[in-house]
């Protein structure tokens, strides 16, 4: 984990993002973490995996402020992912038509892994 100094000289953990976090101290604002546009693809995926993993507990046990912050951060991360991947593969069963087919008993075509 990398460490940097704040303008006042205090030590601050940069959460493993090195120079991407230098100067990033937005206490008192609703955003937490690195601006998603500054993350590389691997870091963005790791952040998305983490926020989705913690979603259920935040919903059930987090304060209203924690849930609001979680919602905001999730929207930022997901928005950046969609911006970078406008032509991502969409599984047939995840469309409205695919959902209607499931309700009517039609099998949903399998999608190849990947």
């Amino acid at each position: 984990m990398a460490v940097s100094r704040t303008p006042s000289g205090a030590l601050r953990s940069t959460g493993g993002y090195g120079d991407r976090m230098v100067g990033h101290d937005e206490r008192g604002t609703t955003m937490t973490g690195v601006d998603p546009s500054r993350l590389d693809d691997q870091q963005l995926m790791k952040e998305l995996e983490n926020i989705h993993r913690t979603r259920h507990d935040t919903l059930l046990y987090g304060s209203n402020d924690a849930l609001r912050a979680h919602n905001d951060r999730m929207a930022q991360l997901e928005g950046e992912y969609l911006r970078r991947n406008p032509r991502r593969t969409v599984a047939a069963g995840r469309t409205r038509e695919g959902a209607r087919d499931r309700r009517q008993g039609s099998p949903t075509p399998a999608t190849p892994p990947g």
Side-chain angles (χ1 to χ4, degrees):
M1 182 176 301
V3 176
S4 66
R5 292 201 179 266
T6 64
S8 66
L11 291 176
R12 170 178 59 204
S13 168
T14 59
Y17 292 115
D19 64 338
R20 293 173 186 264
M21 289 292 290
V22 172
H24 182 83
D25 184 4
E26 298 192 24
R27 285 180 225 153
T29 66
T30 58
M31 188 184 129
T32 58
V34 176
D35 182 332
S37 66
R38 296 180 65 196
L39 299 171
D40 65 32
D41 289 345
Q42 184 177 0
Q43 291 167 328
L44 178 61
M45 288 307 295
K46 186 174 182 171
E47 290 287 319
L48 281 165
E49 290 167 2
N50 183 55
I51 202 158
H52 286 120
R53 183 177 45 77
T54 61
R55 179 65 183 171
H56 190 74
D57 282 347
T58 304
L59 176 63
L60 295 178
Y61 308 113
S63 67
N64 288 341
D65 287 342
L67 185 58
R68 191 173 303 111
H70 206 272
N71 288 343
D72 292 345
R73 182 65 174 167
M74 185 179 295
Q76 293 166 355
L77 293 166
E78 288 177 346
E80 180 62 20
Y81 177 82
L82 293 173
R83 185 190 69 75
R84 292 183 193 186
N85 300 283
R87 289 180 165 56
R88 73 194 191 290
T89 301
V90 177
R94 292 302 212 166
T95 64
R96 287 182 182 178
E97 184 177 338
R100 282 192 294 270
D101 288 345
R102 277 195 312 272
R103 280 195 307 265
Q104 296 170 1
S106 300
T108 302
T111 56

